[in-house]
Amino acid sequence: MAEAGLANRVERYDPRAIERKWRDRWEADDLYRVRDDAPGEKWYSLTMYPYPSGILHVGHWYAFAVPDVFARLQRMRGRNVLFPMGFDAFGLPAENAAIRNRIHPAAWTFDNIATMRAQYRQMGAMIDWSREVVTCTPEYYRWNQWLFLRMLERGLAYRANGAVWWCPKDQTVLANEQVLEGNVCERCGSEVYRRDLEQWYFRITDYAEELLRDAEPLDWPERVKTMQRNWIGRSEGARLRFRLETGDDLEVFTTRPDTVWGATFMVLAPEHPLVPAITSEAQRPAVEAYVEQARRQSEIERQSTDATRPKTGVFTGGYAVNPVTDERIPVWIADYVLMGYGTGAIMAVPSGDQRDFDFARAFDLPIRVVVQPEGEPPLDPATMTEAYAGDGVLVNSGPMTGKRVPEQVPEIVAWLAESGRGEAEVTYRLRDWLISRQRYWGTPIPVVYCDACGIVPVPDDQLPVELPLDAEFTPTGQSPLVSHAAFLHTACPRCGGPARRETDTMDTFVDSSWYWFRYTSPDDVSGPFDPAKAAAWTPVDLYCGGIEHAILHLLYARFFTKVCRDLGLVEHGEPFLRLRNQGMILAEEGTKMSKSRGTQVAPDDLVREYGADTLRLHLMYLGPWEQGGPWNNRGLDGMQKFIRRAWTVVQETADGPFDGTAPEEADALRRLTHRTVERVTTDLDDFQFNTMVAALIEFVNELMRLKGTAVARTPEWREALRTLALLMAPSTPFVAEELWERLGGDYSVHHQAWPVADPALTARALVEVVVQVAGKVRDRLLLAPDAPEAEVRAQVLALPKVAAALSGEPRKLVYVPGRLVNVVP
RNA sequence: GCCGGGGUGGCGAAAUGGCAGACGCAGCGCACUCAAAAUGCGCCGACCGCGAGGUCGUGCGGGUUCGAAUCCCGCUCCCGGCACCA
């Protein structure tokens, strides 16, 4: 009978039943509802919201379940934690899926959201769904429009000509990703080309300096900061003025104003506005042909072309005057000069710049040495094989000859400025943000075009400009909204006359540039968010997401935050104080997971078989979270085994009685418990989830070893079991709740305080100290961690193994208390 | 080309100046079982040795140190980012 009773008491671990039970209970109790006024210091943990692409794969779990562990730790520490969730619901894939399957993008999107929402519930993440944000709803994108209008008022949104892809057959603009290799339209296969069209831009370049400077103190991965720094691309130099023979001034930007005496020709970007004016009649056909050919290449293509590609270009027939030498120098055009950077024109100094050197050699243009490296034989233009861009002394440089560079560059710039030839300038690589998209599934840009009044913003009280759901979005070669008469034709808000709406929509990166503010007041109808609530919750304390957003999203989000600050909506200028990037989960063979090749791993099947807790642990245990790596199914069994062992220990020993004594063993157990608390806590704080799990496993392994001994009847054992449930709560929320209940704890384990390690108990009473002779381990000693050196020395030298390895007196003895002794012969 | 990150058992990894390989997977052995599964316990870098034990070992070559996977110099391979930005 007794045996049967015992067998009944030890239930089998059944993840499906346990997880269903607690999921229902938590939802019924609204366990994860976040209250603005709850006690505790606020903690805003944010994970990049997903695109509703269909179903969750393990990558989504990796990105979300692991940060959930961290957020749960903060909550148990007594913080008031916001850990919200939403969907980045506008975008190209919905439109493409709609065209392919003939369903409406809205239907496709909301179906996917429903599926994915249910999957996130499986995960056991502590999401407060009442704060969910879905960006394709008018309640959300209305505020994209509102923010756009505020930016328009301040000149931060503007309309300008920009080069875009144009398909002559479909008569439409194409997105960059619709242009296939060889500059071919993805729909009709026609050759496409660049065309200047008016587009909307955000003036992010106004914030270039601030974006650069404010990134420095952020607790972000260094590589992300470096990528942003490079993207912004600050260059110090000077703007110099050259006089053209047509009478126009031609301005150039250079980082080497000290080399202007070596400028022997000039090069303009093919699109430069002065090209037609400076071109001679004799050269005009060649110039026009070159300009036309350059137009067919995208800016991206031109920028990313290998720098070793042979230089191409054409002489315009025109000349400029070098402002310091008064020499007449030829003006060329070449596609290695980019219209979008600096002034779109350069002074070419072939002796000091490799590109100019290559160009000069290709077209037999003069080269003059102006910087001579010190202590080297004089450079000779006739025999040089490459440009010299290093330090040195100026030669052939009129009054500045003999100046050392770079030390004396400021003096040279001052001299140039005094004589009116130019001035110091800082230039950035960053371009303004082109937000127009000739696409349907996005936020309509809230302006109208009136023949009488021009561009007229839609007044705030007419927002949102709703995206019509009955638009014909199958491909006709036209932007969908253009053919929607009821949308297109409207009355001018200013004069009441007939007007046309803007039919372009906004880049979906606009949606994600402020969404975390919306979580703080998702139902606000008076503004994008409630400034008081935003002030209470933001900036975000911890932002988690993929490294692929290192530049665009994170830069745009920082820009929007600064704009919101300048609009008086928030006080801070940086949205995310701490950033962590998860690595990518790859398919088992180490390649990217792919839907089409069937290498995606579906978490639902794994949850059915193992439960969410096991899957969460497995993802944490795969390796360092910031590194990612190939998926494997096998490790799941190990994690399941760990949970079952924890389960077994608790089931078998939870009922006590805990009235026994075992002085030495109980003391050792307490020390182990506290040491485990310390390891788990510091590993979680350091985002080292894999070693955190290892600490839990070691703890359970030890409890397994001890469960049949007297120590399992002591109060210390009860403390150990309760601590185990608490330490498991963030990682395995379901089974931890079940164990906690079994241990008689108050509901819920997720409302308990995180255990704190007592430093007096984390130290071992005795430690094994390694004894080395000449750096080789010869023996070990059990010593108190603070044993005095004299005593240790005597003990060590008395060891037979040490004596054997040593002849005579040691030269030296190194003692690191609690670690090792090294005897140096 | 420039800037990051990395190279440790059969595999994922740990150790960031102090016992290399914690922990897990796989494998092997034992117990339980009629048997298998499940579970529990043990072994598990290479070489030499019957054994006690010894020698070697963290991509390669050097250096610093009583002591190096860890720090420094040089090289090599892999991954990521940027790349004609004047």
Side-chain angles (χ1 to χ4, degrees):
Chain A
M1 282 314 282
E3 266 185 82
L6 189 70
N8 280 340
R9 224 170 55 189
V10 182
E11 288 169 52
R12 206 171 58 86
Y13 168 59
D14 178 0
R16 290 175 70 173
I18 290 169
E19 291 180 9
R20 191 179 316 112
K21 169 183 160 186
W22 291 114
R23 188 158 36 236
D24 291 349
R25 173 89 186 264
W26 294 337
E27 281 178 19
D29 296 345
D30 235 351
L31 188 75
Y32 299 123
R33 174 60 64 95
V34 180
R35 288 174 220 289
D36 299 319
D37 55 357
E41 190 189 343
K42 75 93 179 175
W43 179 269
Y44 193 167
S45 244
L46 182 70
T47 293
M48 291 178 187
Y49 66 171
Y51 182 81
S53 54
I55 54 167
L56 296 193
H57 51 80
V58 290
H60 287 107
W61 272 65
Y62 200 55
F64 205 77
V66 179
D68 177 64
V69 176
F70 193 85
R72 285 174 174 280
L73 167 69
Q74 300 309 326
R75 195 170 125 131
M76 289 180 77
R77 279 181 166 156
R79 297 197 167 127
N80 188 26
V81 177
L82 177 59
F83 184 61
M85 187 57 175
F87 292 94
D88 184 17
F90 268 141
L92 212 55
E95 214 170 324
N96 290 341
I99 291 165
R100 208 168 42 243
N101 307 328
R102 303 207 58 84
I103 358 162
H104 196 277
W108 185 84
T109 302
F110 283 107
D111 280 357
N112 290 346
I113 288 174
T115 306
M116 291 169 75
R117 200 186 282 138
Q119 290 180 300
Y120 275 112
R121 292 182 124 98
Q122 294 238 301
M123 193 186 282
M126 45 175 256
I127 298 167
D128 175 357
W129 287 99
S130 72
R131 291 176 181 263
E132 182 188 33
V133 162
V134 178
T135 57
C136 68
T137 59
E139 294 75 25
Y140 185 83
Y141 68 69
R142 168 182 185 176
W143 303 110
N144 282 342
Q145 295 171 341
W146 187 91
L147 287 163
F148 174 92
L149 293 172
R150 298 294 82 76
M151 289 165 78
L152 186 62
E153 287 163 4
R154 294 173 166 248
L156 288 172
Y158 67 94
R159 201 166 154 77
N161 265 309
V164 294
W165 287 111
W166 182 258
C167 173
K169 179 153 178 286
D170 289 344
Q171 288 288 295
T172 185
V173 168
L174 300 177
N176 272 334
E177 53 269 40
Q178 288 178 286
V179 179
L180 306 180
E181 290 247 346
N183 297 346
V184 162
C185 172
E186 73 161 359
R187 286 192 193 159
C188 69
S190 316
E191 191 171 339
V192 299
Y193 56 92
R194 302 291 278 181
R195 190 179 155 180
D196 283 342
L197 282 181
E198 286 219 329
Q199 306 277 297
W200 286 99
Y201 291 83
F202 282 155
R203 210 179 291 280
I204 191 172
T205 51
D206 268 14
Y207 289 85
E209 189 62 37
E210 224 190 317
L211 287 165
L212 194 64
R213 194 188 58 214
D214 292 353
E216 289 314 313
L218 296 174
D219 178 7
W220 286 22
E222 207 48 51
R223 61 175 166 162
V224 174
K225 289 205 254 183
T226 303
M227 282 161 78
Q228 293 221 346
R229 207 161 33 234
N230 292 343
W231 187 262
I232 295 167
R234 185 180 197 275
S235 289
E236 283 185 23
R239 179 180 284 252
L240 301 181
R241 269 177 297 281
F242 285 61
R243 176 59 56 91
L244 292 175
E245 286 190 336
T246 56
D248 297 300
D249 265 349
L250 177 60
E251 295 199 313
V252 300
F253 173 74
T254 176
T255 53
R256 293 296 302 272
D258 50 304
T259 63
V260 61
W261 284 268
T264 49
F265 58 99
M266 307 197 78
V267 187
L268 304 189
E271 312 89 324
H272 196 284
L274 286 175
V275 168
I278 195 170
T279 301
S280 70
E281 287 319 307
Q283 287 299 98
R284 195 167 300 279
V287 166
E288 284 176 355
Y290 188 82
V291 169
E292 180 55 28
Q293 172 250 306
R295 182 196 295 280
R296 288 177 185 273
Q297 296 175 40
S298 77
E299 194 176 358
I300 289 160
E301 202 178 331
R302 261 170 64 191
Q303 285 176 20
S304 64
T305 307
D306 193 336
T308 59
R309 184 178 68 136
K311 295 279 179 291
T312 63
V314 176
F315 177 44
T316 62
Y319 289 85
V321 177
N322 183 315
V324 294
T325 65
D326 291 328
E327 282 172 308
R328 189 171 180 257
I329 58 176
V331 179
W332 287 61
I333 61 171
D335 64 6
Y336 81 92
V337 177
L338 307 169
M339 194 58 223
Y341 183 77
T343 63
I346 61 155
M347 65 174 199
V349 183
S351 60
D353 181 286
Q354 191 57 40
R355 294 154 301 180
D356 298 344
F357 183 89
D358 293 342
F359 195 80
R361 282 281 190 256
F363 296 100
D364 206 18
L365 292 160
I367 296 173
R368 178 183 303 132
V369 171
V370 286
V371 178
Q372 172 62 41
E374 287 180 275
E376 307 259 327
L379 290 172
D380 177 2
T383 56
M384 281 171 86
T385 53
E386 56 180 14
Y388 176 73
D391 304 351
V393 176
L394 290 190
V395 293
N396 302 320
S397 296
M400 295 296 123
T401 297
K403 299 277 186 198
R404 303 166 80 98
V405 293
E407 299 92 312
Q408 291 178 294
V409 170
E411 290 173 35
I412 301 165
V413 173
W415 181 84
L416 288 165
E418 265 166 47
S419 53
R421 293 170 168 105
E423 51 280 318
E425 187 171 80
V426 175
T427 293
Y428 302 89
R429 219 187 68 120
L430 183 69
R431 315 290 162 86
D432 277 338
W433 174 12
L434 195 168
I435 62 151
S436 299
R437 293 293 179 272
Q438 290 72 37
R439 280 292 180 164
Y440 167 65
W441 193 234
T443 303
I445 294 173
V447 295
V448 302
Y449 300 97
C450 169
D451 288 338
C453 311
I455 296 174
V456 182
V458 174
D460 284 0
D461 59 14
Q462 290 176 28
L463 297 184
V465 175
E466 281 207 44
L467 183 69
L469 292 177
D470 57 350
E472 181 54 56
F473 51 82
T474 47
T476 60
Q478 284 232 301
S479 185
L481 293 180
V482 175
S483 53
H484 193 286
F487 178 85
L488 181 67
H489 299 294
T490 186
C492 171
R494 195 164 292 162
C495 70
R500 289 171 299 108
R501 282 192 192 281
E502 168 68 66
T503 54
D504 285 354
T505 53
M506 293 183 201
D507 182 0
T508 55
F509 274 114
V510 175
D511 311 350
S512 54
S513 292
W514 64 279
Y515 74 105
W516 68 94
F517 285 123
R518 187 72 185 168
Y519 288 131
T520 65
S521 47
D523 303 317
D524 200 275
V525 291
S526 58
F529 50 87
D530 176 342
K533 291 193 169 157
W537 284 110
T538 61
V540 169
D541 296 284
L542 171 66
Y543 196 27
C544 294
I547 185 75
E548 67 274 16
H549 292 113
I551 298 172
L552 295 181
H553 162 58
L554 288 172
L555 197 63
Y556 295 152
R558 296 180 59 217
F559 164 56
F560 258 60
T561 303
K562 292 175 193 305
V563 170
C564 285
R565 177 203 59 200
D566 292 347
L567 292 172
L569 294 170
V570 291
E571 284 184 8
H572 59 272
E574 282 296 330
F576 315 124
L577 300 179
R578 188 177 184 205
L579 176 75
R580 292 294 180 268
N581 302 116
Q582 79 271 14
M584 198 191 296
I585 297 290
L586 304 169
E588 264 190 283
E589 61 269 29
T591 54
K592 228 174 145 169
M593 279 194 187
S594 135
K595 204 188 257 182
S596 57
R597 283 203 316 277
T599 53
Q600 271 192 354
V601 176
D604 288 20
D605 299 342
L606 301 171
V607 170
R608 246 191 309 282
E609 193 177 344
Y610 294 95
D613 283 332
T614 297
L615 181 51
R616 290 168 66 104
L617 279 180
H618 180 54
L619 289 168
M620 283 182 257
Y621 203 62
L622 273 175
W625 184 73
E626 306 200 49
Q627 179 186 303
W631 172 261
N632 72 76
N633 265 314
R634 299 183 312 278
L636 283 161
D637 293 317
M639 293 304 106
Q640 178 102 84
K641 200 163 106 187
F642 157 69
I643 293 176
R644 275 204 292 258
R645 285 161 69 85
W647 178 267
T648 301
V649 167
V650 171
Q651 293 293 332
E652 288 185 7
T653 63
D655 295 329
F658 301 109
D659 54 1
T661 53
E664 271 181 38
E665 293 80 357
D667 183 58
L669 177 64
R670 273 183 88 200
R671 289 175 187 273
L672 174 67
T673 302
H674 281 256
R675 232 173 23 249
T676 305
V677 169
E678 190 188 36
R679 283 177 67 187
V680 167
T681 306
T682 56
D683 283 352
L684 280 174
D685 275 330
D686 296 343
F687 259 60
Q688 294 182 348
F689 300 97
N690 54 336
T691 51
M692 182 275 292
V693 175
L696 288 174
I697 293 173
E698 284 177 58
F699 189 37
V700 167
N701 286 349
E702 188 63 10
L703 295 177
M704 272 303 266
R705 206 176 64 77
L706 296 172
K707 73 180 161 69
T709 69
V711 77
R713 307 274 180 195
T714 62
E716 286 81 0
W717 184 265
R718 184 179 140 87
E719 187 206 349
L721 293 186
R722 289 172 64 94
T723 304
L724 174 65
L726 294 171
L727 293 181
M728 286 174 71
S731 310
T732 55
F734 297 103
V735 71
E737 186 81 284
E738 183 73 20
L739 294 177
W740 184 249
E741 186 187 52
R742 182 73 184 77
L743 288 163
D746 295 334
Y747 176 79
S748 154
V749 72
H750 304 297
H751 282 153
Q752 305 305 312
W754 185 250
V756 176
D758 177 350
L761 291 173
T762 54
R764 287 185 177 85
L766 287 177
V767 268
E768 196 178 66
V769 170
V770 169
V771 179
Q772 299 181 334
V773 177
K776 285 192 201 300
V777 183
R778 294 298 172 183
D779 209 344
R780 286 153 228 271
L781 274 178
L782 271 181
L783 293 171
D786 55 355
E789 175 153 1
E791 194 180 296
V792 173
R793 184 187 174 93
Q795 276 199 51
V796 163
L797 294 179
L799 289 168
K801 286 177 180 169
V802 172
L806 200 63
S807 53
E809 275 299 295
R811 204 153 49 85
K812 188 174 170 185
L813 187 140
V814 181
Y815 172 48
V816 184
R819 285 202 176 266
L820 61 50
V821 179
N822 189 13
V823 184
V824 186

